[in-house]
Amino acid sequence: MVAQIVCRSLLNESGSRQYDCSVYNRPRLLAEAVRSVLQQTYPSIEIVIVDDGSTDATADVADTLSREAIIPVKVIRQVNSGPGAARQRGLDEARGEFIQFLDSDDLLLPAKFSAQVATLQRRPECGICYGPSAEENHASNPPGRDCPMRATGELIDHLFPRLLTERWWTTSSPLYRRTLLDQIGPWQPWINEEDWEYDARCGATRTRLAWVEDPCSVRRINLGNDHLSQRGSVDPRKLSDRSMARQSIYISARQAGIPLEAPEMRLFARSTFLLCRQCGLAGLDKESITLLNLARCASTPTSFRLLYYFFYGLVAHWFGWRRGAKFANIFSPLTHSTTSRASLIWLSIITSQR
């Protein structure tokens, strides 16, 4: 994302906790996010801030926070490398048992770590603890609030199968065991859907989830800053990253034991085909081919949509992937609600034009 504060929370054997924060061009938000960490009721906190190549006052703010904080605050600077690389850099510096990621537009509520650490200590079989998060929309004044956002207000035992349909929590909601993150490997250096893919690898381990009922964090949107997830349906680099993320998410879901017959897998296949068409419109032929094959793999052998995907591939091969996506968009718009009838009409017209 354009400005990121990745905050990692750690608890080591002596009871101290460490946070790693990575930021790019969001000085005010950095200060607010770090302040929400400093206000935690859990004691013995350490903070690591990763300055991801900021070009504004963010570096000065980070240095000021480091000097004035009553707890250890470490500042690391690196060339702008994106959210995944920044999070991994902070994770490499972190020590302890538990990890918390925090984006610069998010805030932690004061009792979050006290509640989640205590829960994970009571439940050693769980690798992640999460809780209700609110979403504040600053497009209005006063900001609107949705709480709990997505599925953070629900008790869910495993990340999959729901994770196939969306990343159903926000970055600030979960607290991870360090041993789990060491098991799944490093963050990918992508700028879109890297967090969804990371959680999918956690889900592939079939780790159990713990839940606390009290609200734990706030996600703020429409703050007037660009966000890396914007233009994810048209930007070629972001589309390419999303293509790689979808492949990994599918593999993780299968490792977690999710069958092709699961309704979440059917939705995943359709959203993957949607991404295939978006890549086609962006001129990413290689990614389009890969995603079409992935949509086929995620479908049951008897699915009607396999026939649709087959003919779509033929048309794209004949006319080109960009033109194939444009034709498809005329008769079945780029949404998840494409109907079988619209698919048949599109196939009939396209093949008659050959």
Side-chain angles (χ1 to χ4, degrees), residues 1-8 18-27 30 34 46-56 58-63 65-66 73-94 100-104 187:
M1 59 179 61
V2 174
Q4 177 195 336
I5 166 174
V6 177
C7 199
R8 314 192 186 346
Q18 180 174 345
Y19 302 83
D20 311 332
C21 307
S22 60
V23 198
Y24 177 74
N25 284 359
R26 282 186 177 179
L30 168 63
V34 171
E46 295 179 281
I47 297 176
V48 176
I49 299 174
V50 180
D51 179 5
D52 192 33
S54 297
T55 58
D56 60 1
T58 298
D60 294 335
V61 170
D63 288 338
L65 290 168
S66 179
V73 177
K74 184 176 183 179
V75 179
I76 300 172
R77 293 185 173 84
Q78 65 177 27
V79 176
N80 181 240
S81 305
R87 287 177 178 136
Q88 188 58 44
R89 178 69 185 277
L91 184 58
D92 291 340
E93 298 289 332
Q100 171 75 50
F101 301 103
L102 181 65
D103 293 336
S104 62
W187 282 86

Side-chain angles (χ1 to χ4, degrees), residues 56-240:
D56 60 1
T58 298
D60 294 335
V61 170
D63 288 338
T64 300
L65 290 168
S66 179
R67 288 194 307 269
E68 297 180 353
I70 60 176
I71 63 173
V73 177
K74 184 176 183 179
V75 179
I76 300 172
R77 293 185 173 84
Q78 65 177 27
V79 176
N80 181 240
S81 305
R87 287 177 178 136
Q88 188 58 44
R89 178 69 185 277
L91 184 58
D92 291 340
E93 298 289 332
R95 305 181 308 273
E97 184 180 352
F98 302 113
I99 303 293
Q100 171 75 50
F101 301 103
L102 181 65
D103 293 336
S104 62
D105 42 12
D106 295 346
L107 301 172
L108 304 182
L109 299 183
K112 181 184 195 291
F113 295 121
S114 294
Q116 292 186 335
V117 168
T119 301
L120 286 172
Q121 288 176 332
R122 288 196 310 269
R123 301 192 58 187
E125 77 280 7
C126 296
I128 306 173
C129 183
Y130 71 101
S133 295
E135 182 173 83
E136 281 187 356
N137 189 345
H138 287 253
S140 60
N141 188 17
R145 174 174 283 213
D146 177 23
C147 185
M149 64 172 295
R150 301 179 192 167
T152 59
E154 304 175 27
L155 174 60
I156 300 176
D157 198 49
H158 293 88
L159 280 162
F160 285 115
R162 185 160 186 157
L163 193 61
L164 272 170
T165 62
E166 63 173 342
R167 188 175 185 243
W168 51 264
W169 57 31
T170 188
T171 299
S172 57
S173 179
L175 182 70
Y176 302 82
R177 286 192 192 275
R178 177 59 184 263
T179 52
L180 173 65
L181 302 189
D182 289 343
Q183 179 182 350
I184 68 170
W187 282 86
Q188 296 290 352
W190 303 332
I191 61 172
N192 220 189
E193 295 190 1
E194 80 293 333
D195 44 9
W196 189 9
E197 187 272 344
Y198 193 74
D199 283 335
R201 280 186 276 142
C202 290
T205 68
R206 309 192 189 194
T207 187
R208 296 192 64 182
L209 305 179
W211 181 73
V212 296
E213 63 179 358
D214 293 330
C216 62
S217 67
V218 178
R219 177 180 187 243
R220 299 178 293 176
I221 61 175
N222 294 319
L223 290 166
N225 303 87
D226 291 333
H227 194 280
L228 276 183
S229 63
Q230 295 176 346
R231 295 181 55 82
S233 62
V234 295
D235 183 277
R237 181 186 172 188
K238 294 177 182 179
L239 286 168
S240 180

Side-chain angles (χ1 to χ4, degrees), residues 2 29 164 179 191 199 235 263 274 281 285 294 304 319 346-347:
V2 174
L29 297 180
L164 272 170
T179 52
I191 61 172
D199 283 335
D235 183 277
L274 169 67
L281 289 173
D285 292 2
L294 180 59
F304 167 80
F319 293 96
W346 174 78
L347 290 171

Side-chain angles (χ1 to χ4, degrees), residues 227-287:
H227 194 280
L228 276 183
S229 63
Q230 295 176 346
R231 295 181 55 82
S233 62
V234 295
D235 183 277
R237 181 186 172 188
K238 294 177 182 179
L239 286 168
S240 180
D241 287 351
R242 293 178 64 198
S243 172
M244 292 184 286
R246 294 302 175 91
Q247 297 172 63
S248 179
I249 292 168
Y250 172 75
I251 293 172
S252 293
R254 297 296 280 164
Q255 290 174 340
I258 307 304
L260 297 179
E261 294 77 15
E264 295 86 357
M265 186 64 80
R266 291 199 295 270
L267 289 173
F268 177 80
R270 297 181 69 174
S271 68
T272 298
F273 180 60
L274 169 67
L275 182 57
C276 163
R277 292 161 57 186
Q278 291 172 340
C279 287
L281 289 173
L284 301 177
D285 292 2
K286 179 181 177 181
E287 287 80 359

